[in-house]
Amino acid sequence: MEKLQSLYYILELAGTFAFAISGATAARKRNLDLFGICALAFTVACGGGIIRDLCIGAIPPAGLTNWRYLVVAIIATGLTVGLFSFVQRLNRPVLLFDAVGLSLFAVTGAQKALSYGHNGEVAILLGITTAVGGGVIRDILLNRVPVILEKEIYASAALLGSAIVVLGNYLKWGAGGWVAIIALIVCFTLRILALRFHWNLPTPASNKTNSDKKE
Amino acid sequence: MEKLQSLYYILELAGTFAFAISGATAARKRNLDLFGICALAFTVACGGGIIRDLCIGAIPPAGLTNWRYLVVAIIATGLTVGLFSFVQRLNRPVLLFDAVGLSLFAVTGAQKALSYGHNGEVAILLGITTAVGGGVIRDILLNRVPVILEKEIYASAALLGSAIVVLGNYLKWGAGGWVAIIALIVCFTLRILALRFHWNLPTPASNKTNSDKKE
Amino acid sequence: MEKLQSLYYILELAGTFAFAISGATAARKRNLDLFGICALAFTVACGGGIIRDLCIGAIPPAGLTNWRYLVVAIIATGLTVGLFSFVQRLNRPVLLFDAVGLSLFAVTGAQKALSYGHNGEVAILLGITTAVGGGVIRDILLNRVPVILEKEIYASAALLGSAIVVLGNYLKWGAGGWVAIIALIVCFTLRILALRFHWNLPTPASNKTNSDKKE
């Protein structure tokens, strides 16, 4: 079990790093300055978890007390600034680790909410929030409609992962251990398949004229 | 008094539903996908209350623990996706229920802040926040300036409703009961009159050139 | 020491006023109505402190309980609406007081986080948040990329001020008293020098084509 913990830990750092890279890259593309790039890397990596911790009463939020997140954000900033062409070539592994981060954040977010004694609905909603919150704040700061609201199976994968954790907890399978691993694998697989085969959720208004979009 | 409670309860669900419809409709018009539409319906219905609960220390926020809000958001999403032309014809009743929701959220928001032992200023500010917070987050997510900051007597009606609750509490009329009903009626009437007669707050810069707007 | 407290107090009101003026001016330029102008003045003055208080568990946030902030926001609104040409001529003193506000908010934000028993990282991150949070929310509400992420030495000055407070506390120099004054002076001086000599942080992507910007 201890080995599993170490594996978790390494995976979580890899996922956090992928999130930070996505923030730093988006910031660089919008011509933000050094501080802006680092702020966005940190926000994407920690934003979702901070909102979760505020909602479950875990004060102060882990994202603010744990120096590892800050170090990861600073490394991501350094790479994005110094080795941008290298980072751009990282696109595929980053998407992979981003899917790892998505799964881990959804599962651990739901687990943390349950461990604070909250109900299943809170756990699912905050599992999703942990996984996608940072990306939503990134898009708000960069002044665009959050990409997860428009297309792609991303938040839905997080929803599925969180729901499996809650279901496992409800049926007394234990929220940790095997249930968590199943939830991780399902969420990760769904996300990777969606990426591979360009699966999207239906967009109800997509068969309408574009002028509609302008409103 | 019990009948009054049931009436409140039905009115609050109706108001929440109107808020959710406004979120889902706006999301659909911006071509969001199914998840995005449901997320916006939920955000408009619960966003203001979640911010209020974080600020008064009501952890976890009611919007996350009460499954009714989630069900209302899902129904609103279903209607907006499946029966959009019907929802569009609902425009007038939705505006009516939106005014109901505005009044109820402002009054109950202020009451909840007072019941947690906070002062009148907190109660008024959070009454307004409860009533308009969801709509502000909707507009931020849809990447536009929140409509309540630009025109219309909307937040001002919520301010009046919350202020009556606080005044009644201060003068020991009791914050519940009749004071709440008067606050509801005043807020609702002001909002409906503003809609009917197109009342707006003054826009100090409106007599300036449009080029000003671009800045 | 009491005189110092009074000086602090007056400086903090002046800084808050400068922040409120910046919110009200930006709101007026975007054609917001009276409520919108006042809401933005209040948001810039209190937004950062409210986020800090939520994160350290100071419930309810000081910005909501202290009527002085609200009064300052209302006065700033009145001036911006009634005497706009006068306010525009205030540009230079406002920049000066804004630098005062930046320094004071960064230092007192870090001090408050430490006094609630949190670690140095929390104190630095929330010192910055207190100082720049209101301005970031202003820019989000006005639907633009936050200016502090794009250029200017602003958040970096707040970072330096907060870091000096934390360092002084760590080395047992005491977080209040002389350390705070040194932190204030360093932060303020850096900000004023940056304004005077147009110092900016490097923008890594600035030597790229503009088409890049559009993405």
Side-chain angles (χ1 to χ4, degrees), chain A residues 28-37 39-40 42 54 59-61 64-67 70 81 140-143, chain C residues 54-57 118-119 121-122 125 136 140 143-146 149-151 155 201-205 212-213 215:
Chain A
R28 194 195 148 113
K29 283 185 178 163
R30 289 289 275 258
N31 284 339
L32 300 199
D33 69 10
L34 256 181
F35 174 82
I37 293 175
L40 258 101
F42 183 76
L54 291 179
I59 300 294
L64 298 180
T65 44
N66 190 328
W67 57 270
L70 201 53
V81 171
I140 290 175
L141 289 174
L142 295 180
N143 200 16
Chain C
L54 291 178
C55 287
I56 62 175
H118 302 309
N119 67 25
E121 185 190 341
V122 176
L125 290 173
V136 169
I140 290 175
N143 200 17
R144 58 192 188 196
V145 176
L149 300 176
E150 286 190 312
K151 50 179 184 180
L201 283 183
T203 307
D212 207 290
K213 218 174 185 170
E215 191 184 348

Side-chain angles (χ1 to χ4, degrees), chain B residues 183-195:
Chain B
L184 282 173
I185 293 173
V186 170
C187 176
F188 178 78
T189 310
L190 177 57
R191 174 63 186 145
I192 292 294
L193 289 176
L195 273 176

Side-chain angles (χ1 to χ4, degrees), chain B residues 48-133:
Chain B
I50 290 175
I51 298 176
R52 176 203 58 212
D53 286 351
L54 291 179
C55 287
I56 62 175
I59 300 294
L64 298 179
T65 44
N66 191 328
W67 56 270
R68 284 177 198 85
Y69 292 113
L70 201 53
V71 169
V72 165
I74 292 170
I75 294 174
T77 306
L79 280 180
T80 308
V81 170
L83 300 164
F84 192 51
S85 58
F86 171 69
V87 167
Q88 284 190 307
R89 254 177 294 135
L90 278 184
N91 188 27
R92 282 176 144 251
V94 161
L95 274 178
L96 193 77
F97 285 125
D98 183 82
V100 170
L102 177 78
S103 318
L104 273 160
F105 282 26
V107 168
T108 56
Q111 285 176 326
K112 189 166 183 182
L114 288 175
S115 77
Y116 271 70
H118 301 309
N119 68 24
E121 185 189 340
V122 177
I124 293 179
L125 291 173
L126 292 180
I128 303 173
T129 303
T130 312
V132 310

Side-chain angles (χ1 to χ4, degrees), chain A residues 8 10-13 15 99-109 184 187:
Chain A
Y8 258 41
I10 292 167
L11 283 177
E12 192 177 0
L13 277 189
V100 170
L102 178 78
S103 319
L104 274 160
F105 282 26
V107 168
T108 55
L184 281 173
C187 176

